[in-house]
Amino acid sequence: MNSFERLVSGIEDGGLHSLKIETIQANLGLRCNQQCVHCHLEASPERREMMEWSTMRQVLEVAAKACCQLVDLTGGAPEINPHFRRFVAALHEKGHPVQVRTNLTVLLEPGMEEMPEFFRDHQIQLVASLPCYLEENVCAQRGEQVYEKSIAAIRRLNEMGYGTEEGLSLNLVYNPGGPFLSPPQLALEGDYRRELNGRFGITFTRLLTITNMPIGRFRSELGRKNLEQDYLDLLQKSFNPQTVGELMCRHQLSVGWDGTLYDCDFNLALGLPVNHGAPDHVRSFRPEDLRKRRIVTGEHCFGCTAGSGSSCGGALV
Ligand code: SF4
Ligand code: SF4
C-alpha cells in the first residue's frame, strides 16, 4: 500500500472509490505544437501518438452508455488530431456537451483559422492554459512568443463571444511557475481580470488553479534542480482531508489515445490503467463495472489533495 492509499484509507473505508461517471475525458493524442517544461504528458511536436477514428467511435458509445454530462477533450493539442472536427460534430449531434482544453497558440497555426467559429457553432466550452498574466512567466514555462500568441487567441475568442456570452465559457488555467502551491483561486482570478482587462481589454469566464503534478517533464525538471524530494514533501505535508470527497477521479473517467481507460489524465501519463478488476479498455466498457471502481493511486496523488486541492476543474475546496 502506498503512502497516499494508507492516509486515505483512514478517511475512506476500503480505499478510494469512484462514485459516478459524470465526465468522460478523452485524450486525443500526445502531439502538441508546444513543448512546455511543466507538461505531465511530455507532449511535443515530435510525438506521433494519436487517437484513431475507430477509437473515437467507441468513445461515442461509451459516452452514451455512461449517460455522462460532459465529454472533455484534451491532448497534446486535441485540435491537431485529424479527426477532431468530425468527432466534435458527432458528439454534438448526439447531444453531449463538449469541452475542449486548448493551449490557445494552436489556434494561430495554419489550417486553424476557422476553429473559433467551429467552437462557437458547436457550443464548445473552452478551458485554456495561461499560467500567468505576466509575459515573462508564461514564456519561461511554455516557450518564446507563447504569451503574445495566447493573448491574440483570447482576443479572437472574445470577439466570437467566448468569455462574454452565456453558454460560451472560456476558463483560463493558472499553474505555479515552480515547486510551490497555487495562491487562492478567487483572489488570483481578480488579479487576472484586472491585469488582462487593463492591459489588453480581454476577458474570461473563470480562473482555474491547477497544481503541478510531480510527474513527467515537471518532475524531470525538479530532478535536474535537485528539488524533487522537497516538492514531494511539500505536497504530502499540505494534505487536506477535505479534498478527498471532491477528487476528480471520483466522478470522471479518462480514455487514452489508444482506448485504454484510466482513473485520470495523471494516471494516463504514468501508464497506470484502471485496475482492481475493472475493465481497462473502451471496447469492454460497462458502466456498472466502472461507476464504483476502486481507484489506482500513487504518491503523485498528493498533488490533488495539497492545500485547496487540484483537478482539471481547478481548486477543490
Ligand atoms: S502542457 Fe499542454 S500545451 Fe504544453 S506541451 Fe503539454 S499538452 Fe502541449
Ligand atoms: S492523481 Fe488521479 S487518481 Fe490520484 S487523486 Fe488525483 S485524480 Fe485521483
Side-chain angles (χ1 to χ4, degrees):
M1 200 185 262
N2 64 64
S3 50
F4 182 80
E5 192 86 27
R6 261 198 307 280
L7 200 52
V8 168
S9 62
I11 302 170
E12 297 281 322
D13 279 346
L16 194 62
H17 283 75
S18 57
L19 304 167
K20 52 190 168 183
I21 305 174
E22 233 168 47
T23 302
I24 301 276
Q25 188 177 65
N27 189 306
L28 302 195
L30 302 183
R31 190 147 175 217
C32 187
N33 57 312
Q34 292 183 191
Q35 192 165 342
C36 309
V37 291
H38 59 100
C39 184
H40 65 275
L41 286 155
E42 307 194 50
S44 78
E46 278 73 50
R47 299 296 293 257
R48 290 289 172 266
E49 299 90 335
M50 205 76 87
M51 188 178 277
E52 302 280 352
W53 176 247
S54 55
T55 309
M56 291 178 177
R57 282 176 56 180
Q58 290 174 316
V59 176
L60 278 161
E61 285 168 27
V62 162
K65 281 187 200 164
C67 302
C68 65
Q69 291 172 21
L70 182 68
V71 179
D72 186 22
L73 303 182
T74 185
E79 300 95 326
I80 289 178
N81 186 302
H83 311 296
F84 175 77
R85 291 179 206 223
R86 186 180 174 195
F87 187 40
V88 169
L91 287 163
H92 183 66
E93 196 189 307
K94 296 274 179 206
H96 298 295
V98 179
Q99 177 169 276
V100 171
R101 294 182 180 269
T102 182
N103 68 19
L104 293 171
T105 63
V106 73
L107 303 178
L108 276 68
E109 293 283 309
M112 297 286 169
E113 294 81 2
E114 307 302 319
M115 193 58 85
E117 284 84 353
F118 177 82
F119 286 154
R120 186 198 52 200
D121 294 346
H122 292 82
Q123 295 288 295
I124 306 297
Q125 301 171 45
L126 294 177
V127 176
S129 316
L130 189 72
C132 189
Y133 49 77
L134 296 174
E135 180 167 8
E136 193 186 334
N137 293 342
V138 171
C139 293
Q141 285 188 60
R142 296 174 74 79
E144 290 291 308
Q145 295 188 318
V146 167
Y147 186 77
E148 194 187 321
K149 288 182 180 176
S150 301
I151 299 297
I154 296 173
R155 269 212 177 100
R156 175 103 164 80
L157 291 168
N158 280 174
E159 283 164 19
M160 295 279 105
Y162 274 100
T164 57
E165 286 176 24
E166 210 183 315
L168 293 178
S169 67
L170 171 62
N171 292 336
L172 299 184
V173 174
Y174 161 91
N175 62 275
F180 48 88
L181 301 183
S182 306
Q185 186 169 274
L186 209 53
L188 189 61
E189 181 179 293
D191 295 342
Y192 262 66
R193 277 196 204 292
R194 189 189 62 243
E195 295 294 327
L196 294 178
N197 197 12
R199 288 168 200 221
F200 309 108
I202 57 178
T203 185
F204 59 96
T205 311
R206 281 182 59 212
L207 182 75
L208 313 176
T209 55
I210 301 189
T211 303
N212 289 317
M213 295 302 277
I215 59 175
R217 224 175 260 143
F218 185 70
R219 185 158 189 159
S220 307
E221 185 74 0
L222 290 178
R224 270 192 291 280
K225 295 177 177 164
N226 210 18
L227 291 170
E228 198 174 347
Q229 195 54 50
D230 288 353
Y231 189 54
L232 292 174
D233 291 347
L234 170 69
L235 295 180
Q236 196 153 352
K237 83 165 190 250
S238 309
F239 178 76
N240 178 355
Q242 288 174 357
T243 60
V244 173
E246 311 299 323
L247 291 169
M248 68 175 172
C249 48
R250 308 197 76 173
H251 52 80
Q252 186 166 312
L253 185 68
S254 284
V255 186
W257 61 272
D258 62 353
T260 305
L261 300 177
Y262 300 89
D263 292 301
C264 70
D265 201 49
F266 306 122
N267 285 5
L268 181 159
L270 289 167
L272 298 171
V274 296
N275 203 336
H276 305 297
D280 66 359
H281 197 274
V282 274
R283 77 172 83 84
S284 40
F285 176 87
R286 279 164 36 100
E288 56 275 35
D289 296 334
L290 282 151
R291 251 184 219 123
K292 305 213 167 161
R293 68 193 183 277
R294 183 158 175 205
I295 292 163
V296 176
T297 65
E299 64 171 5
H300 61 289
C301 294
F302 283 111
C304 295
T305 53
S308 301
S310 178
S311 72
C312 291
L316 296 173
V317 292

